[in-house]
Amino acid sequence: MIPKNHPRYESLMLRNRIAEGVKQGMVHPTGLIAHGRGEAFDYLLGERTQSFADDAARAAAAYLKIAKKPVISVNGNVAVLVADEIVKLAEETGMKMEVNLFHRSEERIRKIIAFLEEKGGNDILGIEADARIAGLSHDRALCSSEGIYAADVILVPLEDGDRCEALKRMGKVVVTVDLNPLSRTARSADVTVVDNVIRAIPNIREHYTTVDKPDEVVEMWDNKTHLQMALDFICERLRTYYR
Ligand code: ATP
Ligand code: MG
């Protein structure tokens, strides 16, 4: 048991959830490493939604508003961290959920689908894998013809850079949540919310209900500038922290 007054209570709880997820067979062991990398960047970002991340969450919501076939790609980490919020976002936006794993295993997909269903999710795609993402080899390419394959806008939190680039080459609009502003995923996406998925998904939901003139928001969005703002923030914090 982690005492509630522990100064790093929240971070430790999240870490526990990922570790439990591995035990339950929903998170691949490499998911632990991905989480640790995320934690390091979250520390640098002050473990809060900074204003540039809030702007990106609004742009993400705007893209979801104008999408005809939005899909969210869910992996093990995302499921154990924010399943409830994902299910609600899907309900509110009409977005389909697809469980799509970098280290594909049918057993893990079934477990994650069952977990999302427990949280109230319906019609979750992923098991059928009847289409392929072009330009990727092996199981990493498999996806659902009704889901990722047909989507115009894809929300892929915590995605691998290779797959993100492949989705871009297929002409998709890619929206990601990634704490590392330097990752290939962050750099190749159309919108990168540089924030912890635990804060970013509820924030996207909030913006979805309030965003005005989504086509203008999308038109104005410049992801590179936004990523530079995230890097500037980190640099400034590092340069002045003990001064
Ligand atoms: P890329 O393949 O895009 O170059 P990578 O290989 O460094 O990135 P991956 O392991 O493929 O990283 O993906 C994990 C990414 O998700 C990392 O960039 C990490 O910072 C980020 N990440 C991990 N946990 C979270 C979280 N809770 N919220 C947001 N981002 C996270
Ligand atoms: Mg990677």
Side-chain angles (χ1 to χ4, degrees):
M1 268 291 277
I2 303 162
K4 270 220 158 94
N5 61 357
H6 190 290
R8 302 217 40 80
Y9 177 77
E10 251 179 67
S11 168
L12 292 173
M13 287 300 287
L14 295 184
R15 191 179 275 194
N16 260 8
R17 261 152 72 187
I18 296 283
E20 281 300 313
V22 174
K23 279 192 210 145
Q24 293 160 358
M26 281 197 282
V27 175
H28 188 269
T30 58
L32 293 165
I33 299 167
H35 186 77
R37 182 172 298 157
E39 279 183 346
F41 279 100
D42 210 6
Y43 232 117
L44 294 173
L45 289 160
E47 295 174 310
R48 290 182 41 210
T49 301
Q50 301 298 342
S51 60
F52 51 81
D54 191 52
D55 289 346
R58 182 157 41 92
Y63 269 110
L64 291 177
K65 268 259 144 98
I66 62 167
K68 294 198 172 63
K69 288 187 172 182
V71 170
I72 179 163
S73 176
V74 183
N75 64 24
N77 286 44
V78 172
V80 301
L81 292 177
V82 274
D84 312 42
E85 289 289 330
I86 296 287
V87 167
K88 285 183 199 150
L89 180 67
E91 231 171 63
E92 290 156 5
T93 61
M95 179 170 74
K96 285 187 183 164
M97 288 180 274
E98 174 169 339
V99 176
N100 198 285
L101 307 177
F102 187 79
H103 298 283
R104 188 187 164 83
S105 112
E106 262 202 41
E107 193 193 343
R108 253 176 1 102
I109 294 176
R110 284 188 201 284
K111 282 186 179 165
I112 295 169
I113 290 177
F115 187 67
L116 290 167
E117 282 171 349
E118 263 174 49
K119 305 285 176 185
N122 293 307
D123 305 322
I124 299 152
L125 302 166
I127 208 72
E128 58 290 339
D130 53 354
R132 300 184 72 87
I133 301 167
L136 290 179
S137 54
H138 310 299
D139 287 1
R140 295 188 310 149
L142 294 173
C143 66
S144 164
S145 59
E146 280 179 67
I148 288 175
Y149 189 80
D152 55 351
V153 176
I154 308 190
L155 177 56
V156 278
L158 283 59
E159 180 56 298
D160 170 67
D162 238 26
R163 297 212 307 179
C164 187
E165 285 168 6
L167 291 170
K168 275 312 300 166
R169 284 196 299 273
M170 283 175 86
K172 315 282 187 197
V173 170
V174 177
V175 178
T176 192
V177 178
D178 193 327
L179 281 159
N180 176 4
L182 294 168
S183 77
R184 283 174 309 146
T185 303
R187 287 181 285 136
S188 54
D190 296 276
V191 180
T192 308
V193 184
V194 182
D195 201 2
N196 198 314
V197 76
I198 208 97
R199 299 185 295 269
I201 303 293
N203 201 19
I204 293 172
R205 278 184 63 210
E206 173 103 31
H207 279 295
Y208 191 83
T209 61
T210 55
V211 66
D212 197 24
K213 301 193 178 133
D215 32 0
E216 283 177 24
V217 174
V218 161
E219 180 74 24
M220 296 289 290
W221 183 249
D222 177 355
N223 207 48
K224 277 221 172 69
T225 301
H226 160 76
L227 288 172
Q228 188 59 51
M229 285 168 84
L231 288 174
D232 289 349
F233 176 87
I234 291 173
C235 289
E236 187 56 23
R237 202 155 181 264
L238 291 175
R239 276 194 325 111
T240 58
Y241 193 78
Y242 293 109
R243 255 185 224 131

